[in-house]
Amino acid sequence: DTAVSQTPKYLVTQMGNDKSIKCEQNLGHDTMYWYKQDSKKFLKIMFSYNNKELIINETVPNRFSPKSPDKAHLNLHINSLELGDSAVYFCASSQAGAPGYTFGSGTRLTVV
Amino acid sequence: QQPVQSPQAVILREGEDAVINCSSSKALYSVHWYRQKHGEAPVFLMILLKGGEQKGHEKISASFNEKKQQSSLYLTASQLSYSGTYFCGTDSGQNFVFGPGTRLSVLP
C-alpha cells in the first residue's frame, strides 16, 4: 500500500550509460514531480507533470527526459550519464486543494 | 529565489526547545514544513497559509508572518525522534522552492 513508489532504490552505473528511474503513485494525485537532492541536501525541482502534461521544466540538461504515460506514473530517463548526475532523485506527488507533497523513498544514483 | 533558513544546524538535549526560521524575499501565499530523516524521504509536517495562522503537529508548531515573509517552526520538549533535517518550502504563486534545510540533532 505504498503511496509513492520508485524503482530502483540504488543505481550504480558508468559514465556515458543511459538509465531510467520509474515512479508510480496510488494516491489519485493529479500532479507529479521529479526532484534532485545533491550531496549538500539541496532539493531542486526538475520537472512537474499535471495529468500527463508537462508544466514545469527547470533548467535541466536535455539529457534528462521525463515521461508520463498516465497520471499515476512519471518516469525519468537519463542519457549519457555524467559524474555530476550523482545524487538522490525523488519522485513526489500532490493534489490540488490538499496540502503538501508526498515523496517516494528516493533513488540514489551513483555514476562512476 | 531560494528562501533562507536559520540556523544551519542545531544540537539539542532531549526535552529542550528549538526554533527554526525561514524567510523569503518574495511575497508568499504559503509556507510548507518538511522533515527528512537520514536516508529517508522528506515528510510533510504542515502548511501555513496567508493570514498568520499558527499550526501544530504533535509538539511541533509553526507560525507565518506574511508581512515579513517569514515563518518559524517551534519544536518544544524535543524527542530523539525529532532528529533530522527540516526544510521549509515557499510558494510565491509563481513557483515553489525549498530552503537549504536545518539539521537538527537531539541527543539523549
Side-chain angles (χ1 to χ4, degrees):
Chain A
D1 59 340
T2 305
V4 180
S5 60
Q6 52 182 111
T7 55
K9 192 165 173 64
Y10 299 97
L11 193 48
V12 181
T13 187
Q14 290 187 326
M15 272 173 44
N17 282 351
D18 303 339
K19 289 293 177 187
S20 291
I21 307 172
K22 294 187 176 182
C23 178
E24 175 182 3
Q25 55 97 3
N26 63 4
L27 297 166
H29 287 175
D30 53 18
T31 306
M32 295 184 72
Y33 311 83
W34 278 111
Y35 275 88
K36 179 180 180 180
Q37 187 170 46
D38 62 21
S39 57
K40 293 185 179 176
K41 293 262 190 178
F42 290 133
L43 272 165
K44 192 168 188 299
I45 182 80
M46 299 174 70
F47 302 103
S48 170
Y49 269 76
N50 181 273
N51 213 4
K52 302 196 298 174
E53 185 183 337
L54 180 66
I55 56 171
I56 294 176
N57 183 356
E58 290 294 315
T59 308
V60 174
N62 57 16
R63 299 181 292 104
F64 290 80
S65 52
K67 277 199 181 146
S68 181
D70 56 61
K71 77 172 203 175
H73 295 84
L74 180 61
N75 303 323
L76 183 65
H77 188 76
I78 316 169
N79 289 327
S80 304
L81 278 154
E82 300 177 357
L83 293 176
D85 296 333
S86 295
V88 180
Y89 292 84
F90 285 103
C91 176
S93 70
S94 69
Q95 176 68 31
Y101 295 172
T102 303
F103 283 84
S105 56
T107 295
R108 183 174 292 275
L109 172 66
T110 304
V111 183
V112 297
Chain B
Q1 200 83 2
Q2 188 178 43
V4 175
Q5 284 187 237
S6 63
Q8 285 187 318
V10 58
I11 300 175
L12 301 173
R13 292 281 179 191
E14 226 177 337
E16 291 181 340
D17 301 340
V19 180
I20 300 171
N21 300 302
C22 174
S23 63
S24 173
S25 57
K26 289 186 169 187
L28 300 175
Y29 283 106
S30 69
V31 178
H32 295 206
W33 285 97
Y34 291 78
R35 176 171 62 208
Q36 184 179 27
K37 299 199 175 191
H38 182 69
E40 298 182 9
V43 172
F44 174 71
L45 293 177
M46 66 190 79
I47 183 171
L48 287 299
L49 302 173
K50 274 172 69 168
E53 64 181 285
Q54 191 146 348
K55 279 211 164 178
H57 174 81
E58 299 173 346
K59 289 182 183 174
I60 301 173
S61 61
S63 62
F64 176 29
N65 185 327
E66 66 195 72
K67 289 182 182 175
K68 294 186 177 180
Q69 295 109 51
Q70 290 176 349
S71 178
S72 294
L73 186 71
Y74 307 95
L75 300 101
T76 56
S78 57
Q79 304 167 15
L80 296 176
S81 62
Y82 287 1
S83 292
T85 301
Y86 288 79
F87 294 95
C88 68
T90 55
D91 182 359
S92 63
Q94 294 173 330
N95 58 11
F96 180 86
V97 184
F98 281 102
T102 294
R103 182 173 290 183
L104 179 78
S105 301
V106 181
L107 305 178

